[in-house]
Structures are given as C-alpha cells and as structure tokens.
Amino acid sequence: MNTVTVALGRRNYKIFIGRDLLARLEEFLPRELSSRCLVVTDDNVDPIYGQRLINVLKSLGFRPAKVVVPAGEASKSLAGAEALYDRAFEHGLDRRSPIIALGGGVVGDLAGFIAATYMRGVPFIQIPTTLLAQVDSSVGGKVAVNHPRGKNIIGAFYQPSAVISDLSLLDTLPVREMRSGMAEVIKYGVIWDDAFFQYLESNLDAAMGLDSRVMQAVVARCCEIKAGIVAEDERESGLRAILNYGHTIGHAVESLGGYHLKNHGEAVAVGMVMEAVLARQMGQLDVKELERLMALIQKVPLDISLPGEWHKQQAIELMRQDKKAVGNEMFFVLPECIGRVHIKKVSDQQLDDLLPVE
Ligand SMILES: NC(=O)c1ccc[n+]([C@@H]2O[C@H](COP(=O)([O-])OP(=O)(O)OC[C@H]3O[C@@H](n4cnc5c(N)ncnc54)[C@H](O)[C@@H]3O)[C@@H](O)[C@H]2O)c1
Ligand SMILES: O=C(O)C(=O)C[C@@H](O)[C@H](O)[C@H](O)COP(=O)(O)O
Ligand SMILES: [Zn+2]
C-alpha cells in the first residue's frame, strides 16, 4: 500500500492506495465520527459494491443510510443535491456525521458539495471507484455541481478527511472509463513529469490491463503530483491552474456533446491535443513533443476528433465562461515541452485560427 499526504496544516489528510482496502476501512477512517453516516453512490456502482460497504460500516458500529443517484453527469446538479440534503435530514446527520462518496467523479463532486454545505460542513470521505476519480477528482477538494450554463459553476474548495483508493474496485470498470481516466493520467506527465510520461510510454498496455504493480505506481505518482500542487496552491490562485490543462477546450467539448458523446476524460484528451496544437501555433512547442503526446493518447486509444455536435461559436462562448478567464481575457495552460506548462493569455484571433468551423 502507498500513502500520500496532502499537506494542508490542520487539514492534512492521507490518500491510501492499494488493493482490497475496503475490508480494512477501520484503519483509514478519522476518529471522532458520529455513528450516523450517509453513503452516496450511483446505480451502476451500488449493485457491485454498495452492500459490501454498508456491511463494513455496520460492522464498525456505524448506522449508514444510502442514497443511490442515477449514474451520469446529470446527477451533478442542484436538484440532485437537494435530494441528498433531504436524506441527510431524514437520517438525522449531525456535524460529525461523515458523508461517504462511493463512486466516480460525479458521485465524489456531488457528495463533496453536500459535505461542504450541509450544516456548513461535515466530514467527507472519498472512496473513488474509477481510475479518473482515484488519480484526480477524489484529491484536492474541488467539489461542485453544474449549472445549466456551465460545468462546476456552483461549488467550493472542501477537502476530504481521507481518500481510500482501493485499486481492486477498478476490476469492474468498463474499458471506456479506463481510457477516460488515462487521459487525466497522461495530463500529469505533460504538466509536471517527463519521466512519468516516459514510464507511461513504456507501460501503457500493462496499466490498461490493470497490472497491479504498474497501476499502484501510476495512481500513487498522480496523487503525489496533485497533492504537491494542491498543498502549494489550494484555492487556485496560481500554480493549481496547471491541473486544468486540456480543460478550457475539454469542458466546451464535453458540454457540446451533451456530456455523453464525450465523457470528461475523452473531452480532456481532445482538449489536451488542441491546446498543444495551439502552443505549437504560437511557436512554443516542438513538433516532436506534440507527436509524443498524440502518439500516447492514440495508443490508449482515445479518439481526438471533435464531437458531431461541434459549433465553433458556441464552443468559444463556453470557453469564455472558463474559471481561468478574467473579464474578456482568456487564459490557457500551454505545454512548452512534455513535463512543463505555463499559463498564457490567448487572443480571440489566436483561438479563432485554432478552432475548426464544423
Ligand atoms: N473535483 C475534481 O478535481 C475533478 C477532477 C476530474 C474530474 N472531475 C469530475 O469527475 C466527473 C467524471 O468522473 P468519472 O470519469 O469518474 O465519471 P463517473 O463518475 O460518471 O463514472 C463513470 C462511469 O463508471 C461507472 N463506475 C464507476 N465506478 C465503477 C466501477 N468500479 N465498476 C463499474 N462501473 C463503475 C459509473 O457508474 C459511471 O457510469 C466529471 O463530472 C468531472 O467534472 C472532478
Ligand atoms: O483539481 C483541479 O484543480 C483540476 O482542475 C482538476 C480537473 O481535472 C478537474 O476536471 C476539475 O474539476 C476542473 O475544475 P474547474 O475549476 O475547471 O471546474
Ligand atoms: Zn478533469
């Protein structure tokens, strides 16, 4: 097992990474929790792991209630949140009652939003069940629901008390979701660590085949990188924005595809390639580095074509709502080489030159 600490002073917490951790839950939970707790999961994960978690919690003396939301991005909404508040009240949760997210990034972001706001904050435990959630969304405290006009618009920075990344939960993950998670894995190589990118170039097949040693190394390295960045800039006043590489375009692609033509990781893969092409057009990225990125993404394989529902002007409007934008000015995370990115203002003309019409 690996343990990674997110160093935030009194709000320090640990990420536990290994196989078969669910059965050892007691070792990882913080002390002084109330017995009543709320498990949030979705209707794909619940039939596979829901009852197992409930049984473990009961064996530890907890009195768990469970909310099962429909799988998919639509559950990450204010309406979805309201149902969870109701359940929290009905079950008599108090300020020491943990909210436990058992699922992918959708469940984690939604449950975290409830934990941040119910009674102005209750303990939050992440048990991520997708690769994407284990390497990214369960770490760092960005919790949110979507607004019809934009993704993650209503949210908070609210850190979990512990993250339990049980790698054996990935055994049942559909291959499409493995590939999607791999996009965010590749992101860490581009923004921070060429050696890790090289490791992926050599070990991608083993990772996709869920080789235990490789998967352990991959999830641990991603968490280490994210933990370091979040510890330095928890609320994204500077450095943390590099975690948003691929997302300015990616979020627009995800939204234009109605959140189903491309899921989050698939859209981020498109965004990473297009933002690398933008860096290249601006004379900042060597063509060989762009080719390395495209080769690794295609090896996953992830499809880097735009969704059928692509409309250039709508995409630009969506990009203007990006949280890195200041007034009318748009900022992008652009690679200089594999392992190093910087944040750069991009003009309307530069964006117009990059994006295809249809
Ligand atoms: N907070 C953050 O820092 C952060 C970072 C990255 C992404 N996100 C958000 O995360 C979301 C995407 O997360 P995701 O890719 O995990 O998607 P997801 O939560 O929708 O899960 C993907 C699919 O896999 C299923 N699933 C989950 N675990 C499974 C398992 N072990 N076995 C079988 N099926 C399983 C789910 O039911 C779902 O159908 C987006 O909303 C994105 O905005 C947040
Ligand atoms: O943790 C971060 O910071 C990230 O940006 C990680 C991203 O992968 C993630 O998709 C995040 O939810 C995007 O946040 P947003 O601020 O662009 O909504
Ligand atoms: Zn992301």
Side-chain angles (χ1 to χ4, degrees):
M1 183 178 81
N2 289 67
T3 305
V4 176
T5 299
V6 184
L8 290 167
R10 287 194 302 125
R11 290 175 297 115
N12 272 4
Y13 62 94
K14 288 194 168 71
I15 307 159
F16 303 96
I17 304 155
R19 288 192 68 86
D20 303 318
L21 300 189
L22 213 52
R24 295 166 52 191
L25 198 60
E26 190 177 16
E27 295 172 44
F28 313 123
L29 292 179
R31 307 287 147 224
E32 298 181 356
L33 297 174
S34 294
S35 59
R36 285 174 203 268
C37 62
L38 186 68
V39 173
V40 183
T41 189
D42 75 26
D43 58 9
N44 288 333
V45 176
D46 181 49
I48 319 177
Y49 303 113
Q51 196 54 48
R52 202 196 295 178
L53 177 60
I54 295 293
N55 291 346
V56 172
L57 288 167
K58 284 184 176 164
S59 75
L60 299 177
F62 286 98
R63 296 173 64 185
K66 185 174 72 180
V67 179
V68 182
V69 302
E73 190 74 23
S75 287
K76 230 178 92 173
S77 64
L78 276 177
E82 208 165 340
L84 267 69
Y85 293 126
D86 288 345
R87 195 74 186 93
F89 270 112
E90 281 161 20
H91 194 55
L93 296 198
D94 63 44
R95 275 196 162 155
R96 288 190 184 180
S97 300
I99 295 193
I100 304 173
L102 175 73
V106 165
V107 162
D109 283 12
L110 172 66
F113 181 73
I114 303 304
T117 47
Y118 180 74
M119 293 188 173
R120 297 200 191 91
V122 296
F124 176 39
I125 312 289
Q126 286 266 25
I127 306 181
T129 66
T130 62
L131 176 62
L132 185 141
Q134 295 194 350
V135 299
D136 193 349
S137 63
S138 64
V139 177
K142 273 192 180 177
V143 298
V145 295
N146 302 325
H147 184 276
R149 293 180 58 178
K151 197 171 156 83
N152 301 334
I153 294 298
I154 307 159
F157 290 95
Y158 190 73
Q159 301 295 339
S161 311
V163 180
I164 298 122
S165 271
D166 183 337
L167 300 174
S168 35
L169 304 185
L170 301 181
D171 292 349
T172 55
L173 195 62
V175 67
R176 181 178 177 188
E177 302 305 335
M178 273 300 294
R179 291 174 181 161
S180 167
M182 203 49 78
E184 300 270 23
V185 170
I186 292 170
K187 176 186 80 176
Y188 289 103
V190 180
I191 65 171
W192 198 261
D193 189 349
D194 183 30
F196 180 57
F197 193 93
Q198 286 176 43
Y199 179 83
L200 294 172
E201 288 174 316
S202 307
N203 292 282
L204 189 78
D205 291 343
M208 290 302 295
L210 286 175
D211 176 281
S212 292
R213 190 183 50 82
V214 172
M215 208 28 120
Q216 178 92 31
V218 165
V219 175
R221 184 63 190 135
C222 294
C223 289
E224 266 171 24
I225 295 171
K226 185 158 185 181
I229 293 170
V230 168
E232 201 167 316
D233 178 25
E234 183 184 5
R235 299 175 72 90
E236 201 173 310
S237 48
L239 177 69
R240 183 171 182 160
I242 69 173
L243 292 166
N244 226 247
Y245 170 53
H247 286 65
T248 316
I249 293 177
H251 277 164
V253 166
E254 197 182 352
S255 166
L256 284 175
Y259 296 102
H260 62 92
L261 291 185
K262 300 264 187 196
N263 65 23
H264 183 72
E266 292 164 347
V268 168
V270 176
M272 287 197 294
V273 170
M274 290 186 78
E275 291 174 18
V277 171
L278 180 60
R280 172 94 195 110
Q281 283 181 4
M282 291 166 78
Q284 296 168 21
L285 181 69
D286 194 89
V287 69
K288 290 216 160 51
E289 297 289 75
L290 175 60
E291 284 168 2
R292 276 179 76 197
L293 171 65
M294 290 178 66
L296 189 56
I297 286 181
Q298 282 166 341
K299 193 172 174 189
V300 173
L302 282 153
D303 173 11
I304 52 171
S305 61
L306 290 167
E309 300 299 310
W310 175 260
H311 298 286
K312 181 170 176 170
Q313 277 320 312
Q314 278 180 29
I316 292 175
E317 284 320 306
L318 286 163
M319 287 177 214
R320 289 194 188 287
Q321 290 161 25
D322 181 77
K323 295 172 208 71
K324 298 184 296 305
V326 181
N328 282 331
E329 295 184 333
M330 281 190 274
F331 293 86
F332 280 69
V333 183
L334 298 180
E336 288 171 36
C337 57
I338 301 295
R340 196 168 61 238
V341 290
H342 64 282
I343 296 158
K344 187 126 175 98
K345 189 158 75 178
V346 170
S347 69
D348 292 0
Q349 188 61 55
Q350 284 164 323
L351 193 59
D352 195 60
D353 292 345
L354 172 77
L355 300 173
V357 180
E358 300 286 349

